[in-house]
Amino acid sequence: MDLVNYKIMKYSSNIKPISFLKSHASEMIEDTFENGSTYIITKNGEAKSALMDIKEYQRLQDKLTFQKIIAISEKEISEGKTLPFDRAFKELYKKIKTLKKQRNYKR
């Protein structure tokens, strides 16, 4: 985890009803962009949505994807679905060589 750039989000000050969003959407979007703020939007007193900067959203998605890859890798390791490093690269080079031959043949 990048502790230097790690930011603890304090949602309590950024919980807003949908009526606030409707009347202040432009300012809220600007705040997410300029300050990295995230807003929790409520409807009838229940949290229903989050408003955040698109770059922060993409970073969050990237982190989730990376965590999924790690979980799948750990599962495969525990199931013994691994190859020794040298064998894995030998097989990879064979596949690359085969693909290159196929491409040259098609030309």
Side-chain angles (χ1 to χ4, degrees), residues 9-22 28 31-32 36-53 60:
M9 289 191 221
K10 295 180 181 176
Y11 294 118
S12 60
S13 63
N14 287 345
I15 299 173
K16 304 292 182 193
I18 195 163
S19 58
F20 186 87
L21 171 65
K22 288 177 183 178
M28 292 170 72
D31 187 37
T32 63
S37 300
T38 297
Y39 289 90
I40 303 302
I41 308 302
T42 63
K43 184 176 180 183
N44 299 324
E46 291 185 39
K48 295 291 184 181
S49 186
L51 177 65
M52 64 174 49
D53 177 63
L60 180 62

Side-chain angles (χ1 to χ4, degrees), residues 53-65:
D53 177 63
I54 191 66
K55 289 179 184 177
E56 182 61 30
Y57 176 77
Q58 186 59 56
R59 277 191 291 272
L60 180 62
Q61 293 300 309
D62 291 346
K63 287 177 186 178
L64 290 172
T65 299

Side-chain angles (χ1 to χ4, degrees), residues 40-103:
I40 303 302
I41 308 302
T42 63
K43 184 176 180 183
N44 299 324
E46 291 185 39
K48 295 291 184 181
S49 186
L51 177 65
M52 64 174 49
D53 177 63
I54 191 66
K55 289 179 184 177
E56 182 61 30
Y57 176 77
Q58 186 59 56
R59 277 191 291 272
L60 180 62
Q61 293 300 309
D62 291 346
K63 287 177 186 178
L64 290 172
T65 299
F66 189 64
Q67 288 175 339
K68 287 178 186 178
I69 291 169
I70 290 172
I72 290 168
S73 299
E74 288 175 340
K75 183 178 183 232
E76 289 180 352
I77 290 169
S78 70
E79 293 173 351
K81 296 180 181 178
T82 60
L83 292 174
F85 181 81
D86 58 339
R87 184 173 160 205
F89 272 88
K90 282 180 186 176
E91 290 185 20
L92 182 61
Y93 287 129
K94 276 186 190 177
K95 287 181 183 180
I96 291 170
K97 191 175 181 179
T98 301
L99 288 171
K100 283 182 177 180
K101 284 182 182 179
Q102 289 174 353
R103 284 187 184 162

